[in-house]
């Protein structure tokens, strides 16, 4: 029991470190720097994929296999497209609400630069979402579900996800 909890905590901690270490290492760049934003997100995604692969290989019996790249087929392409459209609509709603409240919409760098916003901004947002999904619902979540069951375990990543976002 404690082994699964400890490994899950280490997984989440290492995943967070994959994002925070590059961000801190590039602190000589200002907070709105495109280079700093893109580098930290790329390191986070590559890091969480590497950690997931390590955990799958090293601790094979503790959790079901986690596909690093789920397959997209004719049968599920509509679901994938709806998810992408839904994510873009949510991002648009977030920007709209922020602007309606009179606040500057500023995440993932400088949103006043249209080239960044339409290009790198959307890419960074998608990669950041993928990183969060693997961090909170990847190996650690599946290992906890296998050990403790669905209902009790689903609360843990939700609380961790909320706690991390309260720090923003």
């Amino acid at each position: 029991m404690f082994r699964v909890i400890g490994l899950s905590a280490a997984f989440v901690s290492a995943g967070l470190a994959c994002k925070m270490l590059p961000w801190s290492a590039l602190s000589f760049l200002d907070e709105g720097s495109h280079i700093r934003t893109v580098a930290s997100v790329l390191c986070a995604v590559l890091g969480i994929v590497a950690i997931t692969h390590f955990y799958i290989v090293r601790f094979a019996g503790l959790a079901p296999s986690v596909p690093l790249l789920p397959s997209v087929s004719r049968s599920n392409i509509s679901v994938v497209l709806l998810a992408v459209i839904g994510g873009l609509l949510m991002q648009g709603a977030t920007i709209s609400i922020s602007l309606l409240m009179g606040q500057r919409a500023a995440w993932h760098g400088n949103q006043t630069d249209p080239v960044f916003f339409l290009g790198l901004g959307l890419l960074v947002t998608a990669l950041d979402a993928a990183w969060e999904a693997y961090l909170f619902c990847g190996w650690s979540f599946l290992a906890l579900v296998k050990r403790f069951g669905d209902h009790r375990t689903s609360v843990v990543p939700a609380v961790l996800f909320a706690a991390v976002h309260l720090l923003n």
Side-chain angles (χ1 to χ4, degrees):
M1 176 174 87
F2 291 114
R3 181 176 185 208
V4 172
I5 293 172
L7 287 170
S8 295
F11 180 88
V12 171
S13 298
L16 288 171
C18 287
K19 186 163 187 185
M20 297 312 297
L21 289 176
W23 181 260
S24 297
L26 297 172
S27 62
F28 61 89
L29 300 170
D30 69 341
E31 205 169 299
S33 167
H34 301 332
I35 295 170
R36 187 178 186 193
T37 301
V38 172
S40 65
V41 170
L42 286 176
C43 286
V45 169
L46 293 174
I48 201 73
V49 167
I51 293 166
T52 300
H53 178 71
F54 171 76
Y55 268 63
I56 289 171
V57 171
R58 179 72 171 88
F59 308 109
L62 292 180
S65 179
V66 181
L68 291 176
L69 293 172
S71 62
V72 177
S73 64
R74 282 186 184 265
S75 62
N76 66 1
I77 189 71
S78 61
V79 174
V80 172
L81 289 176
L82 284 173
V84 169
I85 291 169
L88 292 174
L89 287 174
M90 288 302 294
Q91 184 178 14
T94 304
I95 293 167
S96 301
I97 291 169
S98 177
L99 292 175
L100 286 172
M101 293 173 56
Q103 298 177 359
R104 183 173 163 263
W107 63 92
H108 298 308
N110 182 3
Q111 297 299 321
T112 59
D113 180 359
V115 173
F116 177 79
F117 180 71
L118 293 175
L120 286 177
L122 293 176
L123 176 66
V124 166
T125 301
L127 289 176
D128 213 13
W131 170 76
E132 283 184 2
Y134 275 106
L135 181 68
F136 293 106
C137 298
W139 187 93
S140 61
F141 176 71
L142 294 175
L144 290 170
V145 165
K146 185 174 179 181
R147 175 64 179 93
F148 298 107
D150 293 343
H151 300 294
R152 288 186 283 176
T153 304
S154 62
V155 174
V156 175
V159 169
L160 287 173
F161 185 80
V164 168
H165 283 83
L166 285 175
L167 298 176
N168 281 344

